[in-house]
Amino acid sequence: MPKYIFITGGVVSSLGKGIASASIGKLLESMGLKITIIKCDPYINVDPGTMNPFQHGEVYVTDDGAETDLDLGHYERFTNAIVGKANNITSGKIYYSVICKERKGEFLGGTVQVIPHITDEIKSQIKNASKGKNLDVVIVEIGGTVGDIESLPFMEAIRQMTLELGRKNAINIHLTLVPYIKSAQEIKTKPTQHSVGKLREIGIQPDILLCRSEKKLNKEIKAKIALFCNVHPDAVIGALDMDNIYEIPLTYEKQGLDKLILDLIGLKKTNGDLKDWKREVMDRMNKASKVTTIAVIGKYITLQDSYKSIYEALVHGGIANDTKLEIKRIESEEITKHGANKCLKDVQGILVPGGFGHRGVEGKIKAIQYARKNKIPFLGICLGMQTAVIEFARNVCGLANANSTEFNKKTPHPVISLLEEQRKIKNKGGTMRLGAYDCSIKKPTKSFSAYKQENISERHRHRYEFNNQYKRIMASKGLDIVGINPQKNLVEIIELKDHPWFVACQFHPEFKSKPDRPHPLFRDFIKASSHHS
Ligand code: GLN
């Protein structure tokens, strides 16, 4: 049976619980332990797939086709854990399952209640996520902040699990804020005391406190927090604000969090440390001397979290090429207003990410035209590929008003359209083409030199497809179809022949990039961009 580490958060949201959980996962893996990480989200949506990116940030897609919370992206970027459907548990999923059981008559005669039925379902889904995987440790992150009404059933479930499994098998880590009050020039422990007080009211005594702060915590402050929160002073760990998230596992290691956790759960280190991570990620990032400027043209640009995996994958491409990145986040409507030249004149590479709905599409098309004509390295992803196809159809093939039927149902040239199987679908949740699908790559092409293999698998999240009726005319004008899904003959990757680096894919490569294993397309996109002047 695996050991469990439950991670809760207090005082305020956005303290970086996801990154903290991923960093703890990394730390445990570096000691030779096999782990997985689960995210519990207390909202009622079954998954975040139906939420607007402005509400929720990016929807992260797994190999098995789950639309999940973006924290699962951190888990996969930091660790080797392969996460899937079972790793994101929402209140929606829990209630859905309990209500379906009730309708089938499985609780016949009983009143169905939060305790024990909802809490039992939470416990069983947590346990199921690690079944048969031969894991040493399961990390469970509880979304939200202690004190929220909607997270209470999850808190109660982990309280029960901690008690049932016993202290050597289940521990609690609480991430909290220790603010610095400028005018008083003092670090304040009271919010943390209150937050832990709230946890203890629910019946959870944290074993370790991770204290987010902008100033380093001295011994006295740590001792005070320890005394008031009923934890050992060595278990008060500083989590100083960091410029670089990939340094966080190293700061935990320095403070002995690895040994502390192992002692508490009674496991032994088998081998290893974080030396490779330090060398391959941190040292290379710190040593990079050049800067490459990349424009990301999106429509949810003002929210930092909307394109999380894209920004991270770009940084990974930078690490591989020993360059720092300056990412210019450009709202596509600004391009429509001010023109591509004004917005893009000093960038070295242009990326158009995925998206839904008509707003912003024309600005993206203008940016792509600019990249094509001025031979600026270009990477298009999902909607970025679809808009590249529209741009090429309109401006190179002369197909006036070519469009995707997503934006204009009556377009004379539906170069992007729905497959028959998608036309029948009425429900929105979980019904796109989701998850891993195969792609065969033609050679010699830029994509083949990036991947160095003919058969790849990548993650998808879309409804619309390249319309194969336009293949011939596009190819005759220089649009090279270099990647195909062999089972359904769907276009997966396009390139432009007469261009230094213009690659666009229907899938989302950003979901499979890691700082120490950058995705080949991002690596080569940054390489080409860093050479563009
Ligand atoms: N809206 C497009 C589709 O559904 C593209 C989706 C995306 O970019 N993820 O096909």
Side-chain angles (χ1 to χ4, degrees), residues 481-512:
I481 292 168
V482 308
I484 292 283
N485 168 258
Q487 286 85 15
K488 293 208 158 168
N489 192 27
L490 301 173
V491 172
E492 293 279 2
I493 315 178
I494 60 160
E495 293 183 7
L496 289 191
K497 283 208 170 106
D498 184 23
H499 193 285
W501 208 91
F502 190 109
V503 178
C505 47
Q506 187 55 77
F507 50 78
H508 290 269
E510 71 273 24
F511 295 142
K512 286 176 74 167

Side-chain angles (χ1 to χ4, degrees), residues 353-357 381-384 386 404 406-407 416 418 432 461-465 506 508:
F356 296 84
I381 294 176
C382 207
L383 181 63
Q386 299 176 355
S404 161
E406 180 179 4
F407 315 127
I416 305 291
L418 279 184
M432 284 188 248
R461 182 174 186 249
H462 64 115
R463 282 187 211 285
Y464 293 81
E465 304 282 351
Q506 187 55 77
H508 290 269

